[in-house]
Amino acid sequence: MAARRTLGFAVRNYSQAAAKGWLTEDFLDSLREVVGSSNVSTATPVCEQHGHDESMHRCRPPDAVVWPQNVEQVSLLAKACYSRGAPIIPFGTGTGLEGGVSAVKGGVCFNLTQMDQISELNAEDFTVAVEPGVTRKALNSYLRGSGLWFPVDPGADASLCGMAATSASGTNAVRYGTMRQNVLNLQVVLPDGRVLHTAGKSRRPRKSAAGYHLTGLFVGSEGTLGLITQAILRLHGTPEATVAAVCAFPSVQAAVDSTVQVLQTGIPIARIEFLDDVMVAACNRHSGLSYAELPTLFLEFHGTENSVEEQVQATGEIVQSNGGSDFVWAREQEARSQLWAARHNAWYAALALRPGRKGYSTDVCVPISRLPAILLETKKDLLESKLTGPIVGHVGDGNFHCLLIFDPEDAEESRRVAEFSQRLVRRALAMDGTCTGEHGIGLGKRQFLREEVDEVALSTMQQIKVALDPKNLMNPGKVL
Amino acid sequence: MAARRTLGFAVRNYSQAAAKGWLTEDFLDSLREVVGSSNVSTATPVCEQHGHDESMHRCRPPDAVVWPQNVEQVSLLAKACYSRGAPIIPFGTGTGLEGGVSAVKGGVCFNLTQMDQISELNAEDFTVAVEPGVTRKALNSYLRGSGLWFPVDPGADASLCGMAATSASGTNAVRYGTMRQNVLNLQVVLPDGRVLHTAGKSRRPRKSAAGYHLTGLFVGSEGTLGLITQAILRLHGTPEATVAAVCAFPSVQAAVDSTVQVLQTGIPIARIEFLDDVMVAACNRHSGLSYAELPTLFLEFHGTENSVEEQVQATGEIVQSNGGSDFVWAREQEARSQLWAARHNAWYAALALRPGRKGYSTDVCVPISRLPAILLETKKDLLESKLTGPIVGHVGDGNFHCLLIFDPEDAEESRRVAEFSQRLVRRALAMDGTCTGEHGIGLGKRQFLREEVDEVALSTMQQIKVALDPKNLMNPGKVL
C-alpha cells in the first residue's frame, strides 16, 4: 500500500516535470552558483547534442546541460534538482545503444566527462579508482607499463562509470567477466544529493558478505537510481603471451559447434567472436581485408607462452574436427590490432553496406547450447524478411547482434525491422535467454523486459526504484 | 515520507510479533492445512534444535517449525504468516556462523530440507537447478561422472540455497569466485507469498543486462528479503589434472608474501590456504598428521597436465625465493582428500585445543597487499590478549579467520575475546577491508556493519528492506 501511495506521488510528480514548472531562471541560477555560468548551458545545439546516444532513438534534448567538476558539485546540483523536481540525466560518452540518455521528460543533463581523475592505483591489489570522465582506453593508456590492464571492452571507447551503469561487457567477457565481476565499489550521488559508497568508502576487498550487495544493484541500473561518480575497478595482469587467429567455417553450425566445444573443453579462451558471411564481407570491404567470406570465428588466447600454445593446439583440433580452415594467425601486436579493429568497426562496416541508411543492433543472449538453433533460425528469418542484418556476436557468452541496416523513413521496412526484432527476442526468451546481453533496457526494450521477467519481478524492481528515487527524477522513463 | 510511514508500520508490527498475538491454535491449523500435521511441530526440543546454528549465539527457538515439500507450500505458508504478522525464519542445514537462524522475535521456522530436487542439469551449458535441501556434497555426488562440478566450498556441507543466502565462499573462491559469481537465477518466495524469479523463470544465459540485478540483491540477503526455494547454479568442468601441496615457511610474512606474489604473477591457483603454527599443530594433533609446525600454505592447482606442471614450477620458484620448504605433494585423490580433510577439520582441531570450551570465528577480509601487516599485528594482539586463536585463511582472497577458543562462562575471558574481535575488525576496516568476507552479518556483526558502511549506505539498505518486507517479517533482527 505504501508503495502504491508513493507510486501515485511519483506519477503526479512526473506530470509536473512534464509541465516543467521547475524550469525557471532562478533554478538555472542555482545551478550556475554551483558550477559557474560557463558550466551550465541551455543552448539548443548543446542540449540536442546531449539528447541522444548512438542508437536510433529520437533525440529528446534536456532543458539544460551542466558540467560538474567534482562529486561535491554533483551532490549540490542534484539537491537543486531534487528540491525543484527537475529530472536528472547522467551523461558519459553518449555511446549507449538503447536511448539511455534521452531526456524524455526534459530535465538537467549531468555531463560528467570533466571529472576524469584516475586515482588509488594499487598494483599489488589489482585495483584502481576512476571518475566518469575516464574511458576504458584512457585507463588502459594510463596502465601501460604497469603490467596491468582492464579487460572489459564493449568496442566503443566508453566511460567506465557509464559501462558500470549499463552493465557493459563485450569481447573479453567470456574470460574476464562483465562489469558485474569487475566493479568492486561505487560512489553514487543519490537523487536527493546524498553521497553513497556502495561497499563503504574506499573499501576494496576481493570479496565481502557485509549487508545487501548495493554495488550489484547499481551496476546495470542505467542511471535510474543515482549518478555514478566514481568506480573502484578490479584490474588484471597483462598476459605474458597473446595470440589471435581467424578461422573460417563451411557453415554457421560448424562455427558455433566449435565455440560450444571450446567452452565445454574448459579452454580459457580470451575472445571468441562470430561473424557471419555477410559481416565478413562487409568488414573486408570496409577495412580493406581479404578474409574468406564464410561464417568465421575471431579468437584470442591469453596466458604463458606454453599455456597459449596448448590452448591453440586444443582449439585447432576442435576447429579441424568441425571442418574449419587453418588459422590465419596474428601473433604480433600490430597484426592483432588490425584484426580487432576490423571486428570493432563491424558497426561502421555494416552501415557502409547501405550508405545513407541507419543501423539498429539487436542484443539477445541465450545459453550457449541454444546458439546453433537460434543463429540458424535468425539467418532464415533475415532472408525471409528481406532485411540486411549482418551478424556478429560474443558467442562464448551466447550473445550476438544483428546489425539491421534500414531506412527509417521507409515505414514498411521499419515495420519489418520491428517485427523481426520482436521475433528474435521471443525466440531467445523461448530458449531461456534474455532480450539484452549487454546493451541494457533503456527506452527500447521496456516491453521486452515485461515479457522476460514476470509481474512479481517487475513489481519488485519498481518497489526498489520507488524506495530509492521516490520522486522519479533519476533518468525517468528508462528500464521500467 | 512513505518510507518513514511504512517503517512506523513495521515497528508497530514488530511489537505485535513480540507479543505473539498471531500465535493461536487457529493459526497453527492453517499451517497444518498446508503441509499436514506431521510437518508442523511446536515441540520444545524441535524448536530448540532450530533456534541456533553452529555459532555461539544463544539459542532463540522459533514458536513452530514447518517442513514444506514444494514451492507452492512455501508460498501458502508464507501467506498464512504474512496475514497474521508471524515472523518467518528460513532454515537449511543450520551450519551458519553468525546466528542467522536465531528466532529473536519468535515466529515460524521454515525447514526447507525436504525440498531436495536437483533438476534441469544442462551439461552443455554448465547449469543446474537445486532446491534448498540439496547440499554442496549432494550436488557433487550427483554430478560425479558428468565431467562437471560445483566448486564453492565453505567447508561445511551446507545447503546450496543457504550458501546463496549468505553469499558463502571458502577455499576455491580465489579461482572460481564466491556464490555471487556462481548463482545465475533464484526462485524466491517473498514474505507475502508471491513467487519471484530474480532473472525470469528458468532463464540461464551466462550474462544479462535486463533490469535491476535482483539475483545479486538476494545473494547475501541472509533470509531477510525472502525464502530462496531454488537456485540455478553455474557449474565448472572438472579439471583434467589436480595437484595439491603443503609448504612450510620460516615466518608468517614469508608465507603471505608468497601468496601475494603467486596472485600477482597471475598463476590461476585453485586454492591457497594459510595456517599459522598454532593451527598446524592443532591439525597435526587432531588428524594424526606430522606437518612442520610452522606458518604453512596448503595449495591446489587445477588445469591440464602441462598447465598444472607450469603452475607448480612457477609457484615453487616464488616459494623458494621466500625461504619456503620443499612442497609435500598430494597427487593422488586419497592423499588430497586427507590434506583437505585436515584443513576442513580446522574448526574441530581448534576446539580440541581446549576441550569443553567454545569457539568463535572472526572473518575479516582485506586487500591482499595488507595481509602481511594485518596477520602480524593480529598474531601480536593474540599473544598480548592471552587468547587461544589459531589462524586459518583463504589468503588468496585476503580473508582469514581467528578461531578463538574460550570459556563463555568466564566473563573476563569473554570480554577479552569481544575486545580482540573489535580491534581486529577495526584493523581490517582501517585497511580498506570488510568485517566479513563470507560468514555474513547475521546477528553478531550488525554493529560492525554500521562502522563499515556509512549512514547513507545503511539507510539505502533499510529502504530496500522496507520496500520488499514492509511488515519486517523476514528473519527479523538480522543484518540491519
Side-chain angles (χ1 to χ4, degrees):
Chain A
M1 196 141 82
R4 246 179 253 147
R5 209 174 304 133
T6 314
L7 192 59
F9 179 54
V11 169
R12 276 199 302 284
N13 195 281
Y14 221 77
S15 50
Q16 280 167 24
K20 295 185 184 173
W22 52 267
L23 187 55
T24 62
E25 204 52 38
D26 182 48
F27 170 67
L28 293 171
D29 279 343
S30 72
L31 305 181
R32 291 184 190 112
E33 257 168 49
V34 177
V35 288
S37 299
S38 62
N39 286 318
V40 178
S41 175
T42 54
T44 304
V46 171
C47 290
E48 283 186 348
Q49 233 170 38
H50 287 80
H52 64 90
D53 55 15
E54 293 192 357
S55 72
M56 299 238 357
H57 290 287
R58 185 158 70 87
C59 178
R60 302 291 294 268
D63 298 289
V65 180
V66 293
W67 285 264
Q69 310 296 309
N70 52 52
V71 62
E72 292 76 19
Q73 290 186 354
V74 175
S75 168
L76 289 170
L77 291 168
K79 275 184 183 138
C81 292
Y82 189 79
S83 66
R84 309 289 186 113
I88 297 170
I89 302 104
F91 193 99
T93 48
T95 46
L97 291 171
E98 285 299 342
V101 299
S102 179
V104 290
K105 301 279 170 188
V108 180
C109 174
F110 284 51
N111 182 319
L112 301 166
T113 52
Q114 293 187 10
M115 294 172 61
D116 60 358
Q117 292 299 303
I118 301 175
S119 60
E120 298 169 40
L121 172 62
N122 194 310
E124 284 195 299
D125 296 318
F126 290 30
T127 59
V128 71
V130 293
E131 289 186 340
V134 181
T135 65
R136 64 173 186 86
K137 285 188 184 169
L139 176 61
N140 280 325
S141 292
Y142 179 87
L143 293 172
R144 201 160 292 151
S146 70
L148 299 171
W149 71 309
F150 186 74
V152 185
D153 177 1
D157 188 23
S159 151
L160 291 156
C161 290
M163 286 166 60
T166 54
S167 187
S169 44
T171 52
N172 286 303
V174 63
R175 164 84 171 254
Y176 298 95
T178 73
M179 289 304 282
R180 287 211 189 288
Q181 285 81 47
N182 289 285
V183 175
L184 291 172
N185 200 346
L186 293 171
Q187 182 191 64
V188 177
V189 174
L190 296 172
D192 62 6
R194 289 178 305 150
V195 179
L196 165 73
H197 296 90
T198 54
K201 192 174 180 191
S202 68
R203 305 207 177 284
R204 52 194 179 83
R206 279 170 60 101
K207 65 180 191 183
S208 171
Y212 300 155
H213 190 44
L214 299 181
T215 308
L217 180 62
F218 279 87
V219 172
S221 62
E222 304 189 36
T224 64
L225 300 177
L227 297 122
I228 298 175
T229 46
Q230 190 189 55
I232 299 182
L233 302 175
R234 173 181 284 196
L235 301 173
H236 296 259
T238 315
E240 180 188 313
T242 300
V243 169
V246 174
C247 180
F249 290 83
S251 66
V252 172
Q253 179 90 40
V256 181
D257 283 350
S258 300
T259 304
V260 173
Q261 290 161 27
V262 163
L263 291 171
Q264 282 165 0
T265 312
I267 297 167
I269 198 143
R271 288 170 157 168
I272 185 161
E273 295 285 305
F274 171 78
L275 293 82
D276 75 351
D277 51 339
V278 187
M279 191 73 250
V280 176
C283 287
N284 277 346
R285 207 186 315 176
H286 187 257
S287 299
L289 301 166
S290 52
Y291 293 123
E293 296 183 359
L294 290 168
T296 297
L297 291 177
F298 281 26
L299 307 121
E300 194 163 280
F301 306 91
H302 295 173
T304 61
E305 298 284 356
N306 284 336
S307 126
V308 163
E309 280 315 312
E310 198 175 37
Q311 292 177 52
V312 163
Q313 201 185 329
T315 306
E317 285 166 17
I318 290 169
V319 158
Q320 216 161 29
S321 74
N322 285 293
S325 70
D326 285 343
F327 288 140
V328 176
W329 295 107
R331 287 184 186 271
E332 301 309 316
Q333 173 68 45
E334 199 181 339
R336 288 206 313 274
S337 297
Q338 195 186 29
L339 188 159
W340 291 111
R343 162 64 190 87
H344 279 148
N345 285 328
W347 176 250
Y348 304 103
L351 283 172
L353 286 176
R354 294 181 67 189
R357 298 297 188 267
K358 298 282 181 181
Y360 169 72
S361 173
T362 68
D363 181 37
V364 300
C365 182
V366 295
I368 52 168
S369 69
R370 310 309 300 270
L371 263 179
I374 196 170
L375 277 171
L376 291 173
E377 287 176 39
T378 301
K379 291 279 287 179
K380 187 160 164 274
D381 192 352
L382 278 169
L383 268 179
E384 288 171 0
S385 306
K386 297 189 177 55
L387 289 171
T388 304
I391 293 177
V392 62
H394 317 305
V395 283
D397 286 320
N399 183 206
F400 68 92
H401 311 296
C402 292
L403 309 180
L404 297 160
I405 311 301
F406 69 108
D407 178 3
E409 305 296 319
D410 179 341
E412 198 276 330
E413 194 180 32
S414 299
R415 184 185 52 75
R416 276 184 287 132
V417 164
E419 287 173 0
F420 168 83
S421 304
Q422 202 168 57
R423 281 193 302 275
L424 175 54
V425 166
R426 293 196 174 139
R427 206 173 286 139
L429 295 182
M431 293 181 180
D432 295 337
T434 173
C435 68
T436 174
E438 56 184 14
H439 296 169
I441 297 294
L443 272 181
K445 297 217 178 75
R446 287 171 300 168
Q447 182 51 42
F448 293 143
L449 179 62
R450 290 176 182 277
E451 299 185 26
E452 179 163 336
V453 302
D454 52 29
E455 192 48 44
V456 180
L458 270 179
S459 79
T460 303
M461 291 181 197
Q462 186 68 46
Q463 283 170 315
I464 292 170
K465 167 74 174 173
V466 169
L468 272 56
D469 180 22
K471 295 189 183 185
N472 191 24
L473 296 180
M474 281 307 314
N475 208 4
K478 312 300 160 55
V479 182
L480 294 169
Chain B
M1 197 142 79
R4 246 180 251 148
R5 210 175 303 136
T6 315
L7 193 60
F9 179 54
V11 169
R12 276 200 302 283
N13 195 282
Y14 220 79
S15 50
Q16 279 166 23
K20 295 187 186 172
W22 53 267
L23 187 54
T24 61
E25 205 50 40
D26 182 48
F27 170 67
L28 294 171
D29 279 342
S30 72
L31 304 181
R32 291 184 191 111
E33 258 168 49
V34 177
V35 289
S37 298
S38 62
N39 286 317
V40 178
S41 176
T42 55
T44 304
V46 171
C47 289
E48 282 185 348
Q49 235 171 36
H50 287 81
H52 64 90
D53 55 16
E54 293 191 357
S55 73
M56 299 239 356
H57 291 287
R58 185 158 71 87
C59 178
R60 302 290 294 269
D63 299 289
V65 181
V66 292
W67 286 265
Q69 310 295 309
N70 52 51
V71 62
E72 292 76 18
Q73 290 187 354
V74 175
S75 167
L76 289 170
L77 291 167
K79 275 185 184 136
C81 292
Y82 189 79
S83 67
R84 309 289 186 114
I88 298 169
I89 304 103
F91 192 99
T93 49
T95 46
L97 292 170
E98 285 300 340
V101 300
S102 179
V104 291
K105 301 279 170 189
V108 180
C109 174
F110 283 51
N111 182 319
L112 301 167
T113 52
Q114 293 186 12
M115 292 172 60
D116 59 357
Q117 292 299 303
I118 302 175
S119 60
E120 299 169 39
L121 172 61
N122 194 312
E124 285 195 298
D125 295 319
F126 290 30
T127 59
V128 72
V130 294
E131 289 187 339
V134 181
T135 66
R136 64 174 186 86
K137 284 186 184 170
L139 176 61
N140 280 324
S141 293
Y142 179 87
L143 293 173
R144 202 161 291 149
S146 71
L148 300 170
W149 72 309
F150 186 73
V152 184
D153 177 2
D157 188 22
S159 151
L160 291 156
C161 290
M163 287 165 59
T166 54
S167 187
S169 45
T171 51
N172 286 306
V174 62
R175 164 84 171 254
Y176 298 95
T178 73
M179 288 305 281
R180 285 208 192 291
Q181 285 81 45
N182 289 285
V183 175
L184 290 173
N185 200 345
L186 293 170
Q187 182 192 62
V188 177
V189 174
L190 296 173
D192 61 7
R194 287 178 305 149
V195 179
L196 166 72
H197 295 91
T198 54
K201 191 170 180 193
S202 69
R203 306 208 175 283
R204 50 195 180 82
R206 279 170 59 103
K207 65 179 191 183
S208 170
Y212 300 156
H213 191 43
L214 299 180
T215 308
L217 180 63
F218 279 86
V219 171
S221 62
E222 302 189 38
T224 64
L225 300 177
L227 297 122
I228 297 175
T229 47
Q230 190 189 55
I232 299 181
L233 303 176
R234 173 181 285 195
L235 302 172
H236 297 258
T238 316
E240 179 187 314
T242 300
V243 168
V246 174
C247 180
F249 291 83
S251 65
V252 172
Q253 178 92 40
V256 181
D257 283 350
S258 299
T259 304
V260 174
Q261 288 160 27
V262 163
L263 290 171
Q264 282 165 359
T265 312
I267 297 167
I269 198 144
R271 289 170 156 167
I272 185 160
E273 295 285 304
F274 171 80
L275 293 82
D276 76 350
D277 52 338
V278 187
M279 192 73 251
V280 176
C283 287
N284 277 345
R285 206 185 317 176
H286 187 256
S287 301
L289 300 167
S290 53
Y291 294 124
E293 296 183 358
L294 290 168
T296 295
L297 291 177
F298 282 25
L299 308 123
E300 193 164 282
F301 306 91
H302 295 173
T304 60
E305 298 284 355
N306 284 337
S307 127
V308 163
E309 280 317 310
E310 196 176 40
Q311 292 176 51
V312 163
Q313 200 185 330
T315 306
E317 284 166 19
I318 290 169
V319 158
Q320 215 163 29
S321 75
N322 285 293
S325 70
D326 284 342
F327 287 139
V328 176
W329 294 107
R331 287 186 185 265
E332 300 310 315
Q333 172 68 44
E334 200 182 339
R336 287 206 313 274
S337 297
Q338 195 187 31
L339 187 159
W340 290 112
R343 162 64 190 87
H344 280 147
N345 285 329
W347 176 249
Y348 304 102
L351 283 171
L353 286 174
R354 294 182 66 191
R357 299 295 188 271
K358 298 281 183 183
Y360 169 72
S361 173
T362 67
D363 181 37
V364 299
C365 184
V366 295
I368 53 170
S369 68
R370 311 308 302 271
L371 264 178
I374 195 169
L375 277 171
L376 291 172
E377 286 175 39
T378 301
K379 292 279 287 176
K380 186 159 166 276
D381 192 352
L382 278 168
L383 270 179
E384 288 170 2
S385 307
K386 298 189 178 54
L387 289 171
T388 304
I391 293 176
V392 62
H394 317 305
V395 281
D397 286 320
N399 183 206
F400 68 92
H401 312 295
C402 292
L403 309 180
L404 298 159
I405 312 300
F406 70 107
D407 178 3
E409 304 297 318
D410 179 339
E412 198 276 328
E413 194 180 33
S414 299
R415 185 186 50 76
R416 275 185 288 131
V417 164
E419 288 174 0
F420 168 84
S421 304
Q422 200 167 60
R423 282 193 300 275
L424 175 53
V425 167
R426 293 195 175 139
R427 207 174 285 138
L429 295 182
M431 293 180 180
D432 295 336
T434 173
C435 67
T436 175
E438 56 184 15
H439 295 170
I441 297 294
L443 272 179
K445 297 217 178 78
R446 287 170 300 167
Q447 183 50 43
F448 294 144
L449 180 62
R450 291 176 181 276
E451 298 185 28
E452 179 164 333
V453 301
D454 52 30
E455 192 48 44
V456 180
L458 270 179
S459 79
T460 302
M461 291 182 196
Q462 186 67 47
Q463 284 170 314
I464 292 170
K465 167 74 173 171
V466 169
L468 272 56
D469 180 22
K471 294 190 183 185
N472 191 23
L473 295 180
M474 281 307 314
N475 208 5
K478 313 299 161 54
V479 182
L480 295 168

